[in-house]
Structure formats: C-alpha cells, structure tokens
Amino acid sequence: MLVYGKNVFNQIQNDPSSIQEVFILQNLKDQKIQKAVQALSCKKQVVSRKKLDELTENASHQGIVAKVKDIPTYSLEELLKKKKGDKPGLYIALDGIQDPHNFGSILRSADCTGVDGVIITKHNSVGLTPAAIKASTGAAYTIPVAVVSNLSQALKKMKEEGYWVAGADMDHARDYRQGMYEEPTVLVIGSEGKGISPLVKKQCDYMVKLPMLGEISSLNASVACAILLYEILNKREPLQ
C-alpha cells in the first residue's frame, strides 16, 4: 500500500518496520522530513514531482510517499479486547460510509476525543485506503478498526456486552445533548446519502439529532460525528 503526506509519514515513523520504501521529492525543503527519511533503513528514492503525482494519482502528497505494510484490522472480539483503561468504552460504528475523506476525518476526530475503536462493514463501505489514511492525518495508525460482515449483529453483540447504542438520525430522535453518554456507548453514523439502514436502526437504543436552525437540513457525516464525540467528551469530563 502507498500512503502519503507529512502527517501520515510522521506517524508511520513510530513503526519503521512497517515501511518498505520511501519516495521523497527532489529538493524537498522540509529538513525534518529529509533527516527522518535518511535515518530509515528501508529503500529510498529521490524522485520528481511528476513521479509522486503519478504514484498518488495527483493527490496532495506534500512531497513524501511511502510503501508500507497494510494497516491491520480486527474482528469485533479482538477490538473489544484492545480497550485500555477502566473508563466506559466508546466506539463508533459506520453504516455504509463510502467517502474516504469522511472516513479519514472520523478517524481523526476519534483520536482527538479518546474513542476506543471504529467498526466498519466488509461490504458497501470504504476501507483503509490511501485517501482515507491521508485524511486521517495519521489517526488510521492510532485508532483500531474492526471489519464486520453484519453491522446489525455486531451491535447486538455490543449490547450484550453492556453497551448503549446511539444512532445519529433526525427521525424520532432526542436532542443530542440528552444522550446517556456516561454509559458505555456505541455511536452509529449512517451513510452520506441514505443515513442509518433500517436493520441497524432496530439495534439502536435511542436516536440523537443535531438542531438545524438555518436553511440547510443536514451536516456532513464527519462533521456531525465530531460534534457528537465532543458532546460525549463534555458529558464524561465536564469542566469543574
């Protein structure tokens, strides 16, 4: 897999064994990146901007591209075992998110707010693609991701483990500030176009909605997710 961007490169340096090859822009002005590349024991190539553009299909690579081992994903059981600490668990379940930039942004917000992991589906959703990894600014390497075949069944399992499932939806929903976030929680974010699917809705214990006071009726999925995550953080760790 090829990944790119300075933030992603700074993150993968924490595990040099995962880096197989680095392509760096000729005459890159960032001395910190240059020194970091020189310190690696993997194969390195100094290349033109045209070559980097070709490797990334004209993405914003910032002069650094790396060939790396695939990021590991987990089963639901493995994800739950990876939870650290005694605080109530917090997970995000993505129901059909297909935009890699949305997925990456959600991973970034998850890292910033202390989420324990993200659950995605094997089919009809984006995975850990280079674009998603770039959009995550490195959070794809800090937030564990579980891939499940059936999200409805996965949520049922989470409920059996003591989690409350809160879906982000406008229908039959309470204000987002009225969520029971002090409990172990799974926050479900629906797809960009269709929202949460009917079978997944059935597993939700309650729905939360964000007030829309203007002319626009909805928010981008990753933006809505970030707002909800910070509300959960606010409820769990209020200012004294």
Side-chain angles (χ1 to χ4, degrees):
M1 175 189 291
L2 292 176
V3 297
Y4 46 84
K6 293 180 180 180
N7 287 321
V8 173
F9 180 73
N10 288 334
Q11 189 61 49
I12 62 175
Q13 286 183 79
N14 296 328
D15 182 14
S17 65
S18 70
I19 306 173
Q20 298 170 328
E21 187 173 1
V22 174
F23 303 86
I24 187 169
L25 178 66
Q26 187 175 18
N27 298 322
L28 182 68
K29 294 181 180 180
D30 192 319
Q31 295 298 316
K32 184 178 178 181
I33 293 289
Q34 282 203 26
K35 289 180 180 179
V37 171
Q38 290 171 4
L40 294 172
S41 59
C42 65
K43 183 179 179 181
K44 313 171 190 81
Q45 290 192 48
V46 178
V47 298
S48 66
R49 183 172 297 278
K50 181 180 179 181
K51 177 64 175 178
L52 293 181
D53 290 343
E54 290 174 356
L55 289 172
T56 62
E57 297 181 351
N58 295 310
S60 178
H61 49 69
Q62 299 176 303
I64 185 75
V65 177
K67 183 179 180 182
V68 298
K69 297 176 183 177
D70 288 347
I71 299 173
T73 56
Y74 305 92
S75 67
L76 182 62
E77 291 75 17
E78 290 170 335
L79 184 69
L80 292 175
K81 288 178 181 177
K82 290 180 71 65
K83 181 185 177 299
K84 299 177 182 178
D86 298 325
K87 293 182 179 179
L90 175 59
Y91 294 87
I92 304 169
L94 303 181
D95 185 16
I97 293 289
Q98 297 183 343
D99 185 333
H101 299 96
N102 267 337
F103 184 27
S105 294
I106 288 170
L107 289 170
R108 185 177 184 176
S109 297
D111 178 274
C112 292
T113 54
V115 169
D116 294 297
V118 173
I119 305 165
I120 64 174
T121 56
K122 186 178 296 184
H123 306 290
N124 299 319
S125 67
V126 69
L128 289 166
T129 64
I133 294 168
K134 172 66 163 57
S136 79
T137 65
Y141 288 91
T142 66
I143 297 296
V145 174
V147 182
V148 300
S149 297
N150 187 310
L151 185 57
S152 178
Q153 290 299 314
L155 293 176
K156 185 178 180 181
K157 173 65 175 176
M158 295 291 283
K159 292 168 72 171
E160 292 171 355
E161 295 291 330
Y163 283 82
W164 287 79
V165 180
D169 198 84
M170 295 300 290
D171 294 333
H172 307 292
R174 64 184 70 179
D175 188 282
Y176 78 109
R177 291 162 286 194
Q178 297 175 314
M180 297 177 286
Y181 304 132
E182 292 85 355
E183 302 296 329
T185 298
V186 183
L187 176 64
V188 181
I189 303 296
S191 70
E192 295 88 352
K194 298 179 181 179
I196 301 175
S197 61
L199 286 176
V200 171
K201 278 186 179 181
K202 289 182 179 179
Q203 295 299 333
C204 294
D205 294 299
Y206 63 95
M207 297 291 183
V208 293
K209 63 181 178 180
L210 295 163
M212 297 289 129
L213 305 182
E215 299 296 323
I216 307 301
S217 62
S218 65
L219 287 169
N220 174 282
S222 61
V223 173
C225 183
I227 294 170
L228 293 169
L229 289 176
Y230 271 99
E231 177 61 15
I232 294 171
L233 182 63
N234 176 52
K235 287 291 178 63
R236 293 186 174 191
E237 300 182 20
L239 290 176
Q240 302 300 319

